[in-house]
Amino acid sequence: MKYPKGIVYNELHGREEIKVNAKRTGQIVAWALLGFLITAAYGQSADEVKLGRRYNDPLHGFSLRPPLGVERKREFSAATLVQWSRRDPNTGAVIWTLSVHRAIESNKKIDLEPYASALAKKLRRDEKFKIASLKLSPVAGKAAIHLQGVAVGALPWWQWQVWVWARPGEFLVFKMTGPADAKDRFSAIFRAVLDTLHITDPQTGQAERKANLRRGQGFLDGLTSEKLNKAVRGEPKWYLLWLNGKEVGFMRVAESSARRDGTEGVLVKTWVRLLIPNDQLRLLKREMFATADRSLERWTNRLQIGSGQQAKQMSEEGIKQANLIVCNVLQGGQSRPLKKQVPHLIYLPRALGQLLPRLIDLNKPAAYAFAVYTSETNSFDMRTFTVFGTDRITVGNRHVQAVKATDQAAADAEAATLWLDADGNLLRMQTADGMTMTPASSDAVLRRFPKAVAAIKAMGK
C-alpha cells in the first residue's frame, strides 16, 4: 500500500496562515468536543502564570505548554513555526507575544560560547536588537543561548530570545516580546513556559506519523457497509460528565442506519449539556451522516452558550461529496461559507469517527492516523487513535478487564485516554483538562439532571 506523497505536509500542514484561538472547537468525536466545551468555559484568564494544554509539534521536535487564554497563529513556514499573543480584552491590542522559530546551522558541531558572541553581534547589526544581557544556560536538557534587550520595531519592546541547540545543525528559537515596563511579568510567564519544554526527535515523529497514516488508510480501505452497520447500537446511550469529581453535565448518543440523498450510511446524533460552576450553560447538538466508502458526508452542529435573551447561538452545516467539502458557519448573525478539497484516502468523516472505537481492531497495539476537517481554519487536523492493550479498571464496585486507548484530536493537542470493553464500548474517558465521561442509565442521568429530557427536546430531535 503506497501512501500518497505530499499529503502529510501539503494537506495536513500546508503553509497557509492559520489563526486559532485557544478556545478552538474539537470537531472530531464526542470526547474531543468536551475538551472544547471545558476550555471555552474557562475562557480568558487574568494575566497570571496559568498554562494551557500542551502544544505538540512532532515534525519539528518540540512540545510545550503555552499560557492559558492566548490567541495562536500557526504559520508552518520555514522559519516561524507558531506564535501566541495575549490581547487586551477591552481594546484587542496585543500585550505580548510568544513565538517559536527554527534556525538551521551549516555546522553540525559548534562551540556555543563564540557562536553566542557572533550571534549577538549579528542581531545588533541586522535586526537592531539592543542586547542588554547575554548568557549560556541549559533549557530542557539542551545547551541554550539567552539574549535579552530592546527589539526595535514599530514600538521599542523588550525581548527575551532563547536559542536552544535542539539537535546537530538546528536551533529552536523561542522569543517573548512585550512592553519594557512589564518585562518582569512576562519574563516570569516565559520562564514557566520554558520549564515545560520537551525536545523530541523529529525524524522519529515523521516516521511514526507516516506509518500511522498508512495504517489509517488501510483501515479505511477495508471498511464496508456491513462492518459499519454492525458497529451501530440500536439503543441510545447516556453518559455522565464529571470535572474534578463533580457532576457537570450529561451526553446522549443515538445511532442508526440511515439513508441520505439516496445513499445508505450511518447517522449519529449527540446532545451535550454542560454547566461548570461559576460559568455559563453550554448546550451542543450534533448530527452526522456518512457512508462506508466516504463518498458522502453531511453534518450539522448547533451550539448555545448561556441562556435566555443573552444566549449566544452558533451553527455549522457541511457536506462532503467526492473530494470536496462545502461548509457554512453562522455566528453572530454572520455567515461564513467555506470550501476545501479533501485528501480522500485518509479522510475520516465525523460519523465514522464517532464509531471508531468499535471499528478499529482492539486486539493488537497499533496507532491509526486520519485527516479530519475543522471549519475554524478550513483545513485538516490529524487525529490519531492508539490502542495500547489490556488494562484493569474499577467500574462501580467491580474490577473489569478493559482495552486502554488514546484519542488525539490533533497533532498539537493532548490526547484523551479511553478504557473500552472488548467490543469497543466506552467504559471511561478522561481528558487532560480533568473531564471524565462514564456511561450511565437514563434513570441515573435523570436523578441527577431531572430536566435532561426537556433539555434535549429543546435542542431539537
Side-chain angles (χ1 to χ4, degrees), residues 249-262:
F250 64 83
M251 179 176 180
R252 185 176 187 264
V253 181
E255 306 164 358
S256 62
S257 298
R259 192 176 184 86
R260 293 288 185 274
D261 302 332

Side-chain angles (χ1 to χ4, degrees), residues 3 7-9 11-13 24 28 56-59 74 76 205-214 216 343 346-348 356 367-374 377 379-386 407-415:
Y3 178 74
I7 286 181
V8 175
Y9 302 100
E11 286 291 350
L12 293 185
H13 291 296
R24 60 178 298 186
I28 317 305
N56 298 286
D57 188 343
L59 291 182
R74 188 172 59 182
F76 294 106
Q206 292 168 21
E208 288 179 354
R209 172 171 292 193
K210 290 179 180 179
N212 295 345
L213 284 166
R214 288 192 185 97
I346 56 171
Y347 176 71
L348 182 69
L356 192 59
Y368 305 81
F370 311 91
V372 288
Y373 177 72
T374 171
T377 60
S379 63
F380 298 95
D381 282 327
M382 188 183 73
R383 176 182 172 187
T384 303
F385 188 91
T386 305
D407 204 343
Q408 187 179 22
D412 56 18
E414 288 191 88

Side-chain angles (χ1 to χ4, degrees), residues 43-104:
Q44 297 288 337
S45 66
D47 194 6
E48 56 188 68
V49 186
K50 290 185 177 180
L51 302 181
R53 296 180 179 181
R54 179 163 292 275
Y55 176 86
N56 298 286
D57 188 343
L59 291 182
H60 296 103
F62 75 94
S63 72
L64 54 75
R65 291 183 62 192
L68 184 67
V70 291
E71 179 183 281
R72 188 180 78 198
K73 179 180 177 182
R74 188 172 59 182
E75 295 189 67
F76 294 106
S77 68
T80 303
L81 305 180
V82 63
Q83 177 178 293
W84 293 272
S85 301
R86 172 84 78 197
R87 293 184 179 273
D88 185 290
N90 298 316
T91 67
V94 173
I95 301 174
W96 49 253
T97 63
L98 167 64
S99 58
V100 184
H101 310 260
R102 182 170 176 254
I104 301 300

Side-chain angles (χ1 to χ4, degrees), residues 1-2 213-224 227 292-294 344-346 370:
M1 175 168 40
K2 185 177 181 182
L213 284 166
R214 288 192 185 97
R215 277 189 218 99
Q217 181 184 336
F219 161 77
L220 292 171
D221 288 344
L223 193 58
T224 64
K227 291 180 180 178
D293 63 2
R294 290 109 60 218
H344 180 73
L345 293 175
I346 56 171
F370 311 91

Side-chain angles (χ1 to χ4, degrees), residues 84 107 125 133 139 143 158 255 258 264 266 285 291 307 353 398:
W84 293 272
N107 296 326
R125 181 186 69 241
S133 69
V139 173
W158 186 264
E255 306 164 358
E264 296 291 339
V266 295
K285 190 222 170 169
T291 60
S307 57
R398 299 180 300 117

Side-chain angles (χ1 to χ4, degrees), residues 292-347:
D293 63 2
R294 290 109 60 218
S295 60
L296 176 65
E297 175 189 21
R298 285 187 175 275
W299 73 89
T300 60
N301 294 339
R302 300 282 187 271
L303 173 64
Q304 176 183 318
I305 300 177
S307 57
Q309 295 182 349
Q310 301 301 317
K312 297 178 181 178
Q313 305 284 344
M314 289 167 272
S315 66
E316 175 181 323
E317 294 188 13
I319 181 172
K320 182 257 181 194
Q321 288 179 302
N323 291 335
L324 180 66
I325 284 175
V326 178
C327 180
N328 186 63
V329 179
L330 184 63
Q331 183 175 358
Q334 294 186 340
S335 177
R336 184 164 61 103
L338 303 167
K339 289 185 178 181
K340 191 69 176 179
Q341 290 292 321
V342 178
H344 180 73
L345 293 175
I346 56 171
Y347 176 71

Side-chain angles (χ1 to χ4, degrees), residues 236-240 242 249-252 438-449 452-453:
K237 295 294 182 181
W238 291 83
Y239 301 89
L240 284 170
W242 312 74
F250 64 83
M251 179 176 180
R252 185 176 187 264
T438 56
S441 67
S442 58
D443 290 342
V445 174
L446 291 171
R447 281 197 300 272
R448 295 165 171 86
F449 301 96
V453 174

